[in-house]
Amino acid sequence: MNWTATYGGCTVLYVRDLVREVVAEHAAHELPLVDSLRTLDDDRVVRTLTAGGQKREPLGFGYAEVSALVTPVVWLVLDQAARRTVDRATEGLLARGRAGVRRLLRRAPDTAKHTLIALDPGELALVRTHIVEQATQRGVDRRAAEALADSVVARIATAAAADAEHPETPGTAS
């Protein structure tokens, strides 16, 4: 599965695709849920997963039944990390000037898909901590929660390492 793309010389990780890959490895029985959620835009998925089962959704059951599953844990934590990444990038661009922001917005990737861009070691540790905490709060065994978190962090770090090993050369932008 291709859950990465290149944008501006950086590897971009699509949250929805990374979630599907992790769920396929750790909770394959949840793939129908993931695939159903993938038909929605990322903002709607986040609203749905944080609603706590207050409404009936197109899947045919309430999300109260989802509370102990891996999918909401991984999706919501990665979505938070993606939002922090975008906020950090935006702040940096605003500091450099409006012209840079206009250039970025003209070349921006599909905003319907939330993305992660180059998390530093502290942010990776925070993602790992949040996944372990959320998963154990939802009834996942501590060891399984740690394995899940390690899997997510390893995928993000591997993509960043591949990006560092193959830096973009002038004239080869995607």
Side-chain angles (χ1 to χ4, degrees):
M1 171 168 296
N2 183 18
W3 42 273
T4 64
T6 303
Y7 173 72
C10 295
T11 298
V12 175
L13 308 173
Y14 294 113
V15 169
R16 62 182 39 243
D17 297 337
L18 182 54
V19 168
R20 189 178 195 292
E21 185 171 302
V22 170
V23 168
E25 179 182 338
H26 292 275
H29 61 279
E30 294 182 30
L31 285 175
L33 170 63
V34 173
D35 290 340
S36 293
L37 291 171
R38 287 168 50 97
T39 64
L40 307 173
D41 67 73
D42 284 352
D43 289 330
R44 175 99 186 268
V45 171
V46 170
R47 284 193 309 270
T48 299
L49 293 176
T50 57
Q54 296 170 357
K55 297 188 271 185
R56 302 227 13 118
E57 293 295 331
L59 297 176
F61 58 89
Y63 279 96
E65 291 84 356
V66 178
S67 64
L69 300 177
V70 168
T71 301
V73 170
V74 175
W75 203 311
L76 294 173
V77 169
L78 289 179
D79 181 73
Q80 287 178 338
R83 289 174 193 271
R84 283 192 306 271
T85 301
V86 168
D87 290 346
R88 189 180 71 224
T90 302
E91 288 169 6
L93 285 171
L94 289 174
R96 285 186 241 141
R98 293 176 192 249
V101 172
R102 282 193 296 273
R103 277 193 305 274
L104 175 68
L105 292 176
R106 280 195 304 265
R107 298 182 293 158
D110 182 5
T111 56
K113 291 184 177 179
H114 291 187
T115 58
L116 291 167
I117 302 171
L119 299 180
D120 65 37
E123 292 167 323
L124 288 173
L126 190 59
V127 165
R128 184 186 188 285
T129 300
H130 283 152
I131 289 174
V132 170
E133 287 174 358
Q134 294 296 316
T136 55
Q137 285 176 4
R138 293 176 186 250
V140 176
D141 173 69
R142 178 81 180 183
R143 284 187 181 160
E146 289 175 351
L148 175 66
D150 290 342
S151 179
V152 171
V153 169
R155 282 175 170 78
I156 296 169
T158 300
D163 196 31
E165 289 176 14
H166 305 290
E168 185 177 308
T169 55
T172 63
S174 301

